[in-house]
Amino acid sequence: MDTIEIPALNRPVDATVEIPGSKSLTNRALLVAALAQGDSILENALFSEDSEYFAKCVEQLGIPITLNPNLAQIQVAGRGGDIPAKQADLFVGLAGTAARFISALVALGNGEYRLDGVPRMRERPMGDMLTVLQAGGATVNFEGNSGFMPYTVYSQGFAGGNFRLKANQTSQQLSALLMIAPYAQQDTNIEVEGTLVSQSYVKMTCRLMADFGVEVIQIGDNQFQIKAGQRYQARYYTVEPDASNASYFFAAAAVTGGRVRVKHLTKQSCQGDILWLNVLEQMGCQIKDSDDYTEVTGPKQLQGIDIDMNDISDLVQTLGAIAPFASSPITIRNVEHIRYKETDRIKAVVTELRRLGVQVEEFPDRLKIEPGPITPATIETYHDHRMAMAFAVTGLKVPGIVIKDPGCTAKTFPDYFTRFFQMLEQ
Ligand SMILES: O=C(O)C1=C[C@@H](OP(=O)(O)O)[C@@H](O)[C@H](O)C1
Ligand SMILES: C=C(OP(=O)(O)O)C(=O)O
């Protein structure tokens, strides 16, 4: 298996970088543009495994897509809610968003649609959403364990109505149902039962739906109403740079006491992970922002923090990877749901930090990392792009850190290491 050694930087980083478009926004925009009537053009769209699997599924469903990677542009010829294909065999790789959003999309169709992913995707939860789709008229035939891929959805449109949904393991199933609901036969009312994790992504969903002309009425934190008959409007849409993927570059400034500016990403971003700037500020960084960039300057010494990351859990690895350099312990709370992502992320971060000689305590839903010296090691990445991207930042401070399978960043950031090394050369 391929590896990459990270060259330690014996000076502060000082760079301006550009980050590709957001995965979450690209895949949402692909879905709603597919349901709109007519051509939408997505600018600064992400080209990566997650979005390319998504685009391919939409195309297989009979909705034409033109990919223009050189211009970072995707054109979608939306069919006004029609799903032309009556049969499709769809593969989503390890893309949680594609798995959830495409399963919901095919429920609007009229035919039979098989969905599958890589082995880890077969372990990620799908069942609560599928129960709602079944109550709305679909039949789901599981090939293996009930509630998991692979399965075939037999659909004849989505009826809508009143549903209860569990969302304590992922918010993506709720986002998926919200986005198809305008095309249901009757109004839809979804009440989340118990805890709703990753709420910021549900806000992002509602915001994107509004940007394409559809209203979601939210009552309190847990109830969502969508009137049937609303229609997405085809449009030009510019995807924001990916805030989660910007976190590694900001973290490089934080640990080296340097400066990194990310172009075209601002504090007004609709991505919850823009709150990484607040986390870094609390750890001693200085933040400068304008209407076209954000810049982080790292302190001489990072401070520890005790933080609930439920809403920004894709950043747990970024924080974990820089935690040993803080002046006091770092506690990351309320993130049990990251055990269901590309890998069990609590376990992965704990294992790799321990491999580096760092003292870490693991709990079911949290971890506590002690500051301390690091012994260089080869980092396992477990097919998880964020393990590779985060621990590359650790390598800037400690000579000899090697990242296994750096190609796994292709999930959301295929040229991550090219841009990372370009940052170091500035
Ligand atoms: O809706 C989305 O685009 C996402 C929601 C989050 O997942 P969960 O809701 O499973 O926590 C996040 O981790 C993922 O990277 C993208
Ligand atoms: C959790 C992630 O992805 P997915 O969309 O597959 O859930 C992620 O990108 O960190």
Side-chain angles (χ1 to χ4, degrees), residues 149-169:
M149 288 187 162
Y151 49 75
T152 300
V153 178
Y154 299 86
S155 56
Q156 41 189 314
F158 179 55
N162 292 320
F163 306 101
R164 288 170 74 78
L165 177 77
K166 286 217 199 82
N168 61 336
Q169 293 182 329

Side-chain angles (χ1 to χ4, degrees), residues 96-323:
T97 50
R100 279 72 182 237
F101 301 173
I102 297 289
S103 295
L105 178 62
V106 300
L108 295 177
N110 210 310
E112 53 179 271
Y113 308 96
R114 181 178 182 274
L115 286 105
D116 200 1
V118 299
R120 174 61 179 172
M121 196 64 237
R122 291 180 171 191
E123 296 172 353
R124 300 183 68 188
M126 303 294 305
D128 296 314
M129 177 186 73
L130 294 172
T131 304
V132 170
L133 296 176
Q134 284 166 307
T139 302
V140 184
N141 187 8
F142 297 101
E143 289 172 32
N145 293 335
S146 178
F148 295 90
M149 288 187 162
Y151 49 75
T152 300
V153 178
Y154 299 86
S155 56
Q156 41 189 314
F158 179 55
N162 292 320
F163 306 101
R164 288 170 74 78
L165 177 77
K166 286 217 199 82
N168 61 336
Q169 293 182 329
T170 174
S171 67
Q172 292 177 4
Q173 304 187 16
L174 174 61
S175 285
L177 293 168
L178 292 175
M179 286 190 283
I180 64 155
Y183 293 80
Q185 285 135 23
Q186 53 179 316
D187 297 350
T188 298
N189 180 50
I190 304 174
E191 197 174 328
V192 174
E193 230 177 280
T195 311
L196 167 58
V197 296
S198 298
Q199 279 200 37
S200 63
Y201 285 92
V202 178
K203 273 197 202 118
M204 183 197 289
T205 302
C206 297
R207 168 71 187 275
L208 184 119
M209 289 171 69
D211 286 343
F212 280 79
V214 165
E215 186 194 15
V216 178
I217 301 166
Q218 187 172 350
I219 301 159
D221 278 344
N222 281 17
Q223 201 181 336
F224 301 84
Q225 293 179 342
I226 303 98
K227 290 249 175 286
Q230 299 186 79
R231 292 293 175 254
Y232 294 119
Q233 303 303 310
R235 57 166 290 185
Y236 276 86
Y237 181 81
T238 302
V239 176
E240 295 179 1
D242 192 299
S244 323
N245 285 348
S247 73
Y248 312 106
F249 294 83
F250 290 138
V255 287
T256 64
R259 178 202 69 94
V260 168
R261 174 179 295 191
V262 174
K263 284 164 87 172
H264 313 311
L265 182 67
T266 74
K267 275 191 163 173
Q268 276 63 55
S269 166
C270 67
Q271 299 168 73
D273 281 1
I274 196 68
L275 289 179
W276 181 236
L277 296 169
N278 295 16
V279 178
L280 290 179
E281 198 166 31
Q282 287 175 58
M283 294 175 72
C285 295
Q286 281 183 352
I287 313 298
K288 188 170 151 195
D289 70 307
S290 84
D291 55 10
D292 198 40
Y293 69 80
T294 322
E295 190 175 287
V296 169
T297 302
K300 282 209 168 63
Q301 172 64 59
L302 280 173
Q303 294 153 28
I305 188 173
D306 184 325
I307 181 172
D308 181 331
M309 293 187 90
N310 188 283
D311 225 16
I312 52 171
S313 67
D314 285 357
L315 305 175
V316 168
Q317 287 135 305
T318 326
L319 183 54
I322 65 171

Side-chain angles (χ1 to χ4, degrees), residues 359-374:
Q359 220 185 309
V360 196
E361 275 180 276
E362 178 181 358
F363 303 89
D365 66 343
R366 65 184 195 280
L367 59 161
K368 181 175 180 192
I369 305 160
E370 299 290 335
I374 284 185

